[in-house]
Amino acid sequence: MYELIILISKYLFLFYIITFMWQSLKIILTQKNITRSDIKTCASRQYIMIILFHVNSFLILSFNNETAYFDLNTLLVCFLWIILFTLANFVLKLTYPGGDKLMWNSIFFLCDIGLVTLQRLNPNLAHKQLLWLFLGFLIVFLMPFALNFIKDLSKLKYLYLVLSLIMILTTFFFGDTAGGAKNWLTIKNFTFQPSELIKILFILYLVAELAKPKLKPINIIIPTIISGFVILSLVFQKDLGSALIFFVTYMVVIYITTSSNLILFIGVLVSLIGSFIAYNIFEHIKIRISAWINPWADIEHGGYQITQSLFALGTYGLLGSGLNNGMPSAIPVVERDFIFSAICEEFGIIFAICIILIFLTIFYICMKTALNSRNRYMSVLVSALTCLMCFQTFLIIGGVIKLIPMTGVTLPFISYGGTSMIISFIIFGIIQWICSLTAKP
């Protein structure tokens, strides 16, 4: 009977996410005046799909097939998320009156998929993730009050720069090493990644310098030198994923603000030279490149993680094994780096493709916000933040499916990680705030 329920749920999960995506398409086409649909009704149907997916998943995860009883702790997590989601859905509409409902629903669905997957993999981490989600929602709720008070974010550019440099240097000298990268700080029992916070602070500074109407050479040279220092610091801390994200974001910002093909060409050339040097300096990069080229050659050591990921991706096909029916825990660090593989294994390839489409929907809304903003600083800021999140998503999914070498960054809103989760919420809080300003008459 339990196996039958899991089998039926495989099709129900596809129904939930495909219906969610269909409502997304109707909202987008309505906003572009191609079709006519009631956006509130579509958003409400998305809300229902998220709730149904959540309840269906947690009923499976809470049921013990041997004792025929439901685990109360798992059901409590299920209930707490529904309360949190419902409150957040209501409150954020009030605090971001001009915000995009489709973006919030898409983010909520990604968070729920991540929570369900973590509950499947490691319930203790799921409980912690629920706390991070609560803190993320709380911060996003309070952000409009702080942002409306500041109004002009570019005025604090030197504060952003000083804080960024302090955190970079503090991590360099006092950071803890994890996974080969010295990118963690521990204060008593609290551990976090400064590079996640630097993402926002440094972009706020960089955009403030480069989004000026008339750029002088000095306005480009100084931010370039500082950007080089930050990127090299991350490289020497062996946080190469963050370094790459920073570099690409810097190139996007400088290209948007200067429209210089020469600068873009120089940036590509520098990235190729830097990649060659990093490959010859850092041993773990050689291991990752070797694992990317041919993981089967060293399947018991360097290639073990990626081969297990490929097994998870390809074993159960389009529909997956069914929730609670696979072996995702066989992949090392599956809760952080390879959570997308776990989703593919148990929910199927079609479900995973829909997740990618949800990310693309979010990024589309962000770029639409950037184009609609009449404030140059805010327009470039949204573009930079969107580029950062988009490239980070590409890095982790591309690494998991062996399209590119693995870099070890988190999948936004889905992977386990407190710092990453909160920073992702802050980034989209800023974008939604700008979206609200753009929507005002």
Side-chain angles (χ1 to χ4, degrees):
M1 185 65 182
Y2 183 66
E3 293 297 327
L4 178 62
I5 292 172
I6 292 178
L7 177 62
I8 294 173
S9 295
K10 288 167 59 174
Y11 296 94
L12 287 176
F13 291 143
L14 282 182
F15 171 75
Y16 301 146
I17 198 165
I18 290 174
T19 302
F20 183 94
M21 291 307 305
W22 174 245
Q23 300 306 316
S24 298
L25 180 61
K26 290 172 66 176
I27 291 173
I28 291 172
L29 293 178
T30 300
Q31 291 173 339
K32 295 181 72 67
N33 296 318
I34 296 176
T35 60
R36 290 185 179 180
S37 300
D38 184 44
I39 293 179
K40 290 185 177 179
T41 301
C42 292
S44 297
R45 289 171 181 167
Q46 288 186 320
Y47 171 85
I48 293 171
M49 290 302 107
I50 296 172
I51 292 294
L52 289 175
F53 169 81
H54 179 80
V55 172
N56 192 165
S57 300
F58 270 85
L59 285 177
I60 291 174
L61 294 174
S62 64
F63 184 74
N64 189 318
N65 197 29
E66 295 179 358
T67 63
Y69 286 104
F70 289 95
D71 180 66
L72 295 180
N73 290 329
T74 305
L75 291 177
L76 179 61
V77 173
C78 174
F79 182 66
L80 289 175
W81 162 255
I82 292 175
I83 294 175
L84 178 60
F85 169 49
T86 304
L87 287 175
N89 192 53
F90 174 74
V91 171
L92 293 178
K93 288 178 182 178
L94 299 178
T95 51
Y96 297 85
D100 195 291
K101 298 179 180 64
L102 176 56
M103 185 191 292
W104 283 134
N105 282 345
S106 298
I107 290 173
F108 291 149
F109 202 3
L110 293 177
C111 290
D112 194 26
I113 292 170
L115 186 65
V116 167
T117 308
L118 287 173
Q119 182 67 35
R120 160 70 177 99
L121 297 170
N122 188 331
N124 289 330
L125 292 184
H127 301 163
K128 293 179 181 178
Q129 189 83 330
L130 187 62
L131 176 60
W132 293 123
L133 287 169
F134 171 75
L135 293 175
F137 287 141
L138 181 62
I139 291 171
V140 170
F141 167 69
L142 297 174
M143 278 181 63
F145 303 101
L147 294 172
N148 289 331
F149 177 76
I150 298 172
K151 292 184 179 179
D152 188 358
L153 296 176
S154 62
K155 290 181 179 179
L156 301 176
K157 62 180 181 180
Y158 294 116
L159 176 62
Y160 308 142
L161 176 60
V162 170
L163 291 175
S164 298
L165 295 178
I166 288 174
M167 281 188 283
I168 281 284
L169 294 173
T170 303
T171 309
F172 194 83
F173 290 106
F174 305 105
D176 298 323
T177 301
K182 191 178 181 181
N183 60 346
W184 293 87
L185 278 180
T186 302
I187 302 175
K188 293 185 178 180
N189 294 325
F190 179 68
T191 304
F192 70 102
Q193 280 184 287
S195 60
E196 293 289 337
L197 182 56
I198 295 170
K199 284 180 184 178
I200 299 177
L201 292 173
F202 192 72
I203 286 177
L204 287 169
Y205 161 75
L206 192 62
V207 174
E209 287 287 2
L210 295 175
K212 296 174 181 177
K214 293 182 179 180
L215 282 176
K216 298 178 182 179
I218 193 68
N219 298 131
I220 299 175
I221 293 172
I222 293 177
T224 299
I225 293 173
I226 296 173
S227 298
F229 172 77
V230 172
I231 293 168
L232 286 175
S233 298
L234 292 171
V235 168
F236 283 110
Q237 292 172 18
K238 298 183 181 179
D239 189 0
L240 301 178
S242 295
L244 185 57
I245 292 172
F246 270 82
F247 177 78
V248 170
T249 304
Y250 164 77
M251 290 306 304
V252 168
V253 173
I254 202 166
Y255 183 73
I256 290 174
T257 53
T258 64
S259 301
S260 173
N261 292 325
L262 176 61
I263 293 177
L264 182 62
F265 173 76
I266 293 173
V268 173
L269 185 61
V270 169
S271 67
L272 292 175
I273 295 172
S275 300
F276 177 78
I277 294 173
Y279 177 81
N280 287 279
I281 291 178
F282 300 111
E283 189 64 28
H284 70 287
I285 293 184
K286 292 182 180 180
I287 295 173
R288 288 186 178 183
I289 296 295
S290 299
W292 172 57
I293 295 173
N294 185 12
W296 314 103
D298 189 20
I299 194 171
E300 294 182 357
H301 300 95
Y304 182 76
Q305 193 176 37
I306 188 65
T307 52
Q308 291 302 310
S309 174
L310 294 176
F311 285 137
L313 290 168
T315 301
Y316 295 102
L318 297 177
L319 300 179
S321 65
L323 183 59
N324 226 18
N325 240 16
M327 296 185 295
S329 298
I331 309 171
V333 203
V334 65
E335 300 91 350
R336 294 175 173 83
D337 296 357
F338 282 82
I339 197 168
F340 189 74
S341 301
I343 293 170
C344 288
E345 180 176 1
E346 296 200 336
F347 290 98
I349 300 297
I350 297 175
F351 191 93
I353 291 173
C354 288
I355 290 177
I356 295 174
L357 292 176
I358 293 174
F359 275 112
L360 291 176
T361 301
I362 294 172
F363 300 143
Y364 161 78
I365 296 169
C366 292
M367 293 312 301
K368 184 182 70 172
T369 301
L371 293 172
N372 290 339
S373 178
R374 297 181 180 179
N375 184 295
R376 179 176 171 82
Y377 173 80
M378 291 185 176
S379 179
V380 177
L381 177 60
V382 173
S383 299
L385 293 173
T386 304
C387 168
L388 185 149
M389 297 299 288
C390 184
F391 189 65
Q392 178 174 328
T393 303
F394 168 75
L395 279 182
I396 186 63
I397 294 180
V400 161
I401 65 176
K402 200 180 161 298
L403 178 65
I404 57 175
M406 194 66 193
T407 54
V409 295
T410 56
L411 185 59
F413 299 111
I414 295 181
S415 296
Y416 173 75
T419 312
S420 174
M421 181 66 71
I422 289 176
I423 295 304
S424 297
F425 270 113
I426 292 174
I427 287 174
F428 283 99
I430 294 173
I431 294 173
Q432 283 282 37
W433 176 69
I434 294 173
C435 184
S436 296
L437 296 178
T438 304
K440 289 182 179 179

